[in-house]
Every structure is written in C-alpha cells, then in structure tokens.
Amino acid sequence: MTLVANIWGYWRCRFSQLVKALVLVSLIFLVGCSSSETVSMSVDVDEVPASPWRSRPVIKRVEPPQLIQELEPWLENYAPQINILQPLADQVIEDTSIRVELAVGNLPIYKDDAWGLGPHVELLLDNQPYGAIYDLDQPIVLEGLTPGTHTLRALAVRPWNESFKNLGSYAQVTFHSFAKTDENAPAVEEPLLTYVAPGEVYGAEPVLLDFYLTDAPLHEVAATDASIQDWRVRYTINGESLLLDTWEPIYIEGLKPGRNWVQLTLVDPEGNPIEGVFNNTVRLIEYDATQQDSLAQIILGKPGLEMVGSIVDPSYEPPVQEVPESSVVEDAMAVESADDDELISNPDMDDLDIQGIPGGVDAKAHSLESDEDDSEVVQLETSILDSQIDTVLLEKSETKPLASDELAPNSAADTRSVANNNDDDSVDIFSADQGLEMAPETIELDTEFQANRESAPELSEETVAKEELKPEDSSIPVPELTPDSSEAPIVNDDSSNATDADKTASRRYFKELYDYRERSMSRRQ
C-alpha cells in the first residue's frame, strides 16, 4: 500500500506541473494576441509616425545669382573700418538704455531711395540682430537692457547682406548694465562665430548663408601644431547639414514654403561643438515666393545691371538710352504716313489745293492753327474765289453782243473794241476782220443784220490801229451795251465790289445771247 501511495503522489505532482505550464502558455498566447490587435487597430486609424523616407526638399549648394556676381566687383576696392565709440569697453552704466555711436571709414553708408538697399552696418546685441544702420547721423539707442553683461557687435555689410571679411570690418564691445555677470561675455582670444545670414524673410532662391569668424586659427597653422584646435562651420537647415572648412559665404536652394529653421555651429574636425557663448545659434526664417521685394528681384535678375548700380555707388546715375537716328526717322515717317491716311480718309480736306491751301501733311498742320486764324484764312480764300468768279462774269459781260435789230449805226468802233477783248472761253461772235459770225457752226447772218452792219460808218486805218494798240486791262472801264439801250453804261473798275445784281445781269446776258443764236438759226432755216 505504501508503494502504491508513493506512485500516485508522484504522478499527481507531475500532472499539476503540467497543468500550470499549460495555463502559463495560454496566458502568454492571449497577451500576444491582444498586443497584435492593438497594433493592427493603430494601423487602421493611421496613427503611425511619419516615415523617414517621405520626400522633402533637398538642400544643395549653388552658384551665387548672376546679378550679384556682376555687382561684387563694384565694392572690391573698399576695406571698411568700423569703430564703436560708445559704449566703451567694460563700461558700467546705471541705466537700462544706452546711446550707441559708430564711426565707419572707407565705405559709403547709405540707402538707395529707389531700391531701399545699400552698404550698411549690421548691429547685434548679444546674440540677437538689432537692425541695419544706413545713416550714422541718426541716434542709435539700445533700450530695455536687462541688468548684467552685454556684448554689442557691428559688421560692415554689402547691400545683399553679405559681410565684408577684411581686417577692421568687424568691431565688438562688452559693457555692463548695473553689474557684471557671466552671461553674454565672449572669452578673450577664443574663436567666436557670428551669425550674419540668412535673415528673416526671403522671396526668392538661392538664399545666402554667411558668417563672420574671429580669433580662429588658420588651418595650416592648426595642422602643424597639435596644441591649436582646428575648426569647421556646420550649417543645419531643416535637419540637413552642410559642413564648411573655409571662411566664405555660400548660396543654397531647397527651402520649403513657409517657416524654416537654420542652425549655425562652430565645431572641431570631428564634428564636436567648440565651446563659446555665441558659437551655436538657431534662427527662424520665412520663405515666401510671392514676396517680390527689391532683394528678391535682384536674386532673380529681373532688373539690369545698369538699373541697380545705385545700390553700390551713391553717385551712380543710370545711362540715358539713346534712340538710334534711323529709328527716329522711321517713327517720323510712320507718323507722317498715318497723318496722310487720315487726310485721305477725310473728305473735307480733299479740295484744299483748289483754294491755295496745301494738302497732305501741310494741310494737316494748317488745320491745327488757332480758330481765329482758321476763320481769317477761310474768309480770305472765300473772298478771293468770289472775286475770281466776279472777274470772269465781268469779262464775259464786257463781250456782250447786240441783237441785229438793236445795233446803232455809230457803234461799229465799240463793236470792234468788244470783239478784241473777247474771252477765249466764250462763244466767238465777233471778229475784227469778218464781223459777226456764229462759231463753231459758221452760220451766216440774216439780211437785216447785214444791212445794219453795212450802214455803219467805216473806221479809218489810223483809228483801227489805235484801237488795236490799247492794252487789254480788265481794270479799264469798258462800255457795256445792253439790249435795252444804245448807251454804254460805265462799269465799275473794282471787280471785287460786284453786286448780286451785276451777277444777275451777266447771267441774263448769256441767256439773251443764247436766245439770239436760236433766233438766228431759226431764221436761216
């Protein structure tokens, strides 16, 4: 019985251990399933952190903008010298504000009115930018100083925010407000890194990265002396780093729209930060491609070099563009042609030549005279034309013939005088040798008219010669014979004073002449 009891106790112990093991495995399995469910649920709600492989702008180094490369030689001859006159080094002031005085030599400090840019002084109080100084005569006051130690730095800067690198183009002074402290006090003769660019807002790429380095050894010296610590400068933009071992500005592309962060750090050759109060600086900048300020336009190269020369030379004046002579002639010809076309299309200007006013461009110029001159010219031309009409009518009235039954016996001499002064345009009725005839039909006169003509006394040869030698001058009074009277009325020698009645009489004369011709032809038939 004892042996059986021992065997049963052994197997019961083993069985209990097996059950515990199964229970433990089951619990572990259940916990694992629960964790898997949680992970799968988080995947369903898309709460997984951003993938490191997600695409983003790549920061890369590029060449400086073309227009800035063209402007740089204009400032190569300058070696600015900056001095901080106030405050003094290690000065203690009993105030929270202080007046700053600067002296700058060998560099014109000004702001161009057109572009709002120019060589200037960049001020930094402690490790924050104070602003650009374009006028040294204006007061500079630092206000709101916290009690303690402060350091003021000043750099000579080009219009596009790049600092000069010559000896003397940088100055710094450390002063104290009420009392000295350990903050904001760079170590003497230790490398000091000053953040210069980029600034706050940019409207175009590439963007300038620039710094100023003081009390840093030359790489050649550090390579030969193990006790001298060598240096590098590391730029980090939105998490991407660029390592520089030369002291020079660079331009980069790849900023994202909106806010970007830039970190500037002074490091050793292994990449470890070098201790210093201002040797590690972080700034925020804004990139907005829609902001087209003066600097953005220069970076994009929109204005020409001749348009922005005033930002590097205060006495610069843009050159006056000379128009080629051939272009001036062509423009004048084009204007003249346009005026001619306008005159041709204007029916009111077509008959100007008839009245003595030149047409074409001269007529156009004539039409631009004052209203008073136009009125006088029109009245004069109208008067001349009326005078010419009156003269023609008067000359025709002087050649007025007589009907056959109204010719006086003693009027042969007058008839000859009238015939000699006959106008070529009128009908040739009288002839000095043949008497009265019809032209161009050459119709013979009737018997009654011939009888009257034969009864007229003959003129002597001497009288005829005198009559032929008389000048044909329309101003000499010529007796006018009318059908109603054998008397010859005196004609006014001033043709310009001819009245409407005279014109009516002249028209009646031509009508009577026509009636006489009709009667002659009817009698002959």
Side-chain angles (χ1 to χ4, degrees), residues 264-432:
L264 179 67
T265 308
L266 184 65
V267 299
D268 60 20
E270 287 75 27
N272 301 315
I274 297 177
E275 295 298 329
V277 65
F278 301 138
N279 290 346
N280 194 348
T281 304
V282 180
R283 300 273 175 85
L284 290 177
I285 64 172
E286 192 80 13
Y287 177 62
D288 182 7
T290 63
Q291 176 175 315
Q292 295 299 305
D293 56 359
S294 297
L295 181 58
Q297 295 184 44
I298 291 174
I299 291 175
L300 296 175
K302 290 185 177 181
L305 178 63
E306 68 280 357
M307 299 301 298
V308 296
S310 56
I311 70 173
V312 292
D313 184 357
S315 61
Y316 177 82
E317 294 183 2
V320 179
Q321 296 183 355
E322 297 182 359
V323 180
E325 187 174 343
S326 59
S327 176
V328 175
V329 174
E330 291 176 0
D331 293 343
M333 294 178 63
V335 173
E336 183 176 353
S337 176
D339 292 341
D340 291 343
D341 293 341
E342 182 179 354
L343 287 174
I344 292 174
S345 62
N346 188 356
D348 297 335
M349 305 294 288
D350 291 342
D351 299 331
L352 287 178
D353 287 337
I354 298 176
Q355 300 187 18
I357 302 176
V361 178
D362 293 337
K364 179 70 176 180
H366 177 76
S367 66
L368 297 177
E369 296 292 333
S370 63
D371 295 340
E372 182 178 357
D373 295 341
D374 287 344
S375 177
E376 293 178 357
V377 171
V378 171
Q379 293 177 2
L380 177 61
E381 295 299 331
T382 304
S383 176
I384 293 174
L385 184 60
D386 292 342
S387 176
Q388 292 174 353
I389 295 174
D390 294 340
T391 302
V392 172
L393 294 177
L394 181 60
E395 289 176 357
K396 293 185 180 295
S397 65
E398 291 172 357
T399 60
K400 183 176 181 180
L402 293 177
S404 59
D405 55 349
E406 296 174 347
L407 186 61
N410 297 325
S411 62
D414 296 335
T415 302
R416 284 177 173 271
S417 176
V418 172
N420 290 334
N421 290 279
N422 187 24
D423 195 329
D424 294 338
D425 295 335
S426 63
V427 180
D428 189 7
I429 305 288
F430 297 99
S431 175

Side-chain angles (χ1 to χ4, degrees), residues 75 78 104-111 118-120 134 157 312-314:
L75 299 173
Y78 291 106
V104 180
N106 199 21
L107 180 69
I109 301 297
Y110 71 98
K111 178 189 288 188
H120 60 279
Y134 290 95
V157 179
V312 292
D313 184 357

Side-chain angles (χ1 to χ4, degrees), residues 178-200:
F178 295 104
K180 297 181 181 181
T181 58
D182 295 334
E183 58 185 359
N184 301 322
V188 180
E189 297 183 355
E190 292 292 333
L192 177 63
L193 183 65
T194 300
Y195 184 112
V196 178
E200 296 180 354

